[in-house]
């Protein structure tokens, strides 16, 4: 059974298998049909479907990928990938060097963005057609909200436009607009330009 969760940003736990929903629909007809035919349980937000296994490596998920996904023409990284949850703090309290960075297993994947913050590992679907600047703006806004205004993350923030001073965004596709100063997200305008 697949559970629908109306959150763009999903938290990674343990060893997670993430699949593009558009590929599932293309290859299997629907998420429900895929779930029923292949006894797949997990969660979806309408753009990604995922499930987790409490072991590393995730032997059962890897076997499922071989027998079902790859056998039906899905490709690793293009259509699905495995993500291991990265610990944010060590046994002695040391903080991970990966805090505030994208998850390393998502670096080569154009359809998935990620960030590791002190509260965990998070991913979201990213349109491959977005520019590097737009992808970076989403990454920085979501990271900022995860730290400073986590309630807004629950409302699916979307950037509406960026001007020379502010990043403007809305939540839950409402008419309510918010803005955050670009300096709060970028400290080096020379690297990213003014537009």
């Amino acid at each position: 059974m697949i559970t629908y969760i109306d959150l763009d940003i999903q938290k990674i736990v343990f060893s997670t298998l993430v699949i593009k929903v558009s590929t599932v629909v293309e290859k299997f007809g629907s998420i429900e049909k895929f779930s029923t035919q292949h006894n797949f349980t997990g969660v979806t937000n309408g753009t990604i479907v995922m499930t987790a296994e409490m072991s590393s490596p995730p032997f059962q998920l890897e076997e499922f990928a071989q027998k079902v996904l790859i056998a039906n023409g899905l490709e690793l990284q293009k259509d699905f990938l495995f993500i291991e949850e990265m610990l944010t703090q060590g046994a002695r309290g040391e903080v991970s060097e990966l805090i505030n960075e994208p998850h390393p297993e998502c670096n080569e994947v154009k359809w998935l963005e990620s960030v590791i913050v002190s509260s965990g590992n998070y991913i979201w679907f990213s349109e491959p057609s977005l520019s590097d600047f737009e992808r970076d703006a989403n990454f920085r806004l979501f990271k900022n909200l995860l730290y400073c205004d986590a309630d807004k993350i629950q409302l699916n923030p979307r950037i509406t436009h960026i001007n020379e001073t502010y990043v403007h965004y809305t939540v839950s596709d409402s008419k309510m607009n918010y803005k955050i100063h670009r300096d709060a997200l970028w400290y080096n305008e020379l690297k990213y330009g003014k537009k």
Side-chain angles (χ1 to χ4, degrees):
M1 183 171 119
I2 302 287
T3 304
Y4 179 78
I5 299 175
D6 189 22
L7 289 174
D8 290 345
I9 298 175
Q10 297 289 316
K11 191 171 185 178
I12 292 296
V13 294
F14 308 115
S15 298
T16 303
L17 170 62
V18 182
I19 314 166
K20 269 198 296 191
V21 164
S22 60
T23 303
V24 170
V25 171
E26 177 187 323
K27 298 288 186 179
F28 301 97
S30 70
I31 296 173
E32 183 179 358
K33 191 175 176 183
F34 170 70
S35 173
T36 304
Q37 284 181 344
H38 301 288
N39 196 27
F40 185 88
T41 59
V43 298
T44 186
N45 62 6
T47 56
I48 57 175
V49 62
M50 53 193 235
T51 190
E53 185 175 330
M54 225 167 128
S55 66
S56 181
F59 295 114
Q60 290 178 339
L61 291 179
E62 288 175 348
E63 181 180 5
F64 178 84
Q66 284 293 330
K67 289 183 175 177
V68 176
L69 302 181
I70 294 171
N72 282 285
L74 277 72
E75 297 176 36
L76 184 63
Q77 292 193 332
K78 181 182 173 204
D79 303 306
F80 71 94
L81 83 146
F82 293 96
I83 305 174
E84 293 286 327
E85 178 183 13
M86 299 291 191
L87 297 178
T88 57
Q89 197 170 32
R92 295 188 184 110
E94 63 274 7
V95 177
S96 169
E97 60 194 33
L98 295 172
I99 293 285
N100 298 323
E101 296 294 326
H103 195 292
E105 291 170 359
C106 297
N107 286 343
E108 302 300 316
V109 181
K110 286 289 189 187
W111 53 272
L112 199 65
E113 290 290 314
S114 62
V115 66
I116 299 172
V117 295
S118 55
S119 62
N121 300 206
Y122 295 88
I123 61 168
W124 59 93
F125 180 79
S126 181
E127 284 295 335
S129 62
L130 291 179
S131 70
D132 288 344
F133 178 74
E134 290 169 317
R135 293 165 68 86
D136 191 53
N138 281 321
F139 168 80
R140 291 170 184 275
L141 175 64
F142 295 165
K143 179 173 69 170
N144 181 281
L145 292 176
L146 282 165
Y147 276 112
C148 303
D149 205 350
D151 290 343
K152 284 185 185 165
I153 285 292
Q154 304 295 315
L155 299 173
N156 299 327
R158 301 236 190 318
I159 293 176
T160 55
H161 70 280
I162 302 171
N163 61 30
E164 290 187 12
T165 309
Y166 294 103
V167 173
H168 298 266
Y169 65 99
T170 186
V171 293
S172 295
D173 296 327
S174 72
K175 296 191 187 312
M176 191 84 143
N177 290 300
Y178 299 90
K179 63 183 178 183
I180 186 168
H181 202 283
R182 282 176 65 137
D183 289 349
L185 303 181
W186 284 280
Y187 299 106
N188 185 357
E189 285 282 347
L190 292 175
K191 182 175 180 183
Y192 298 101
K194 293 265 182 194
K195 296 183 180 180

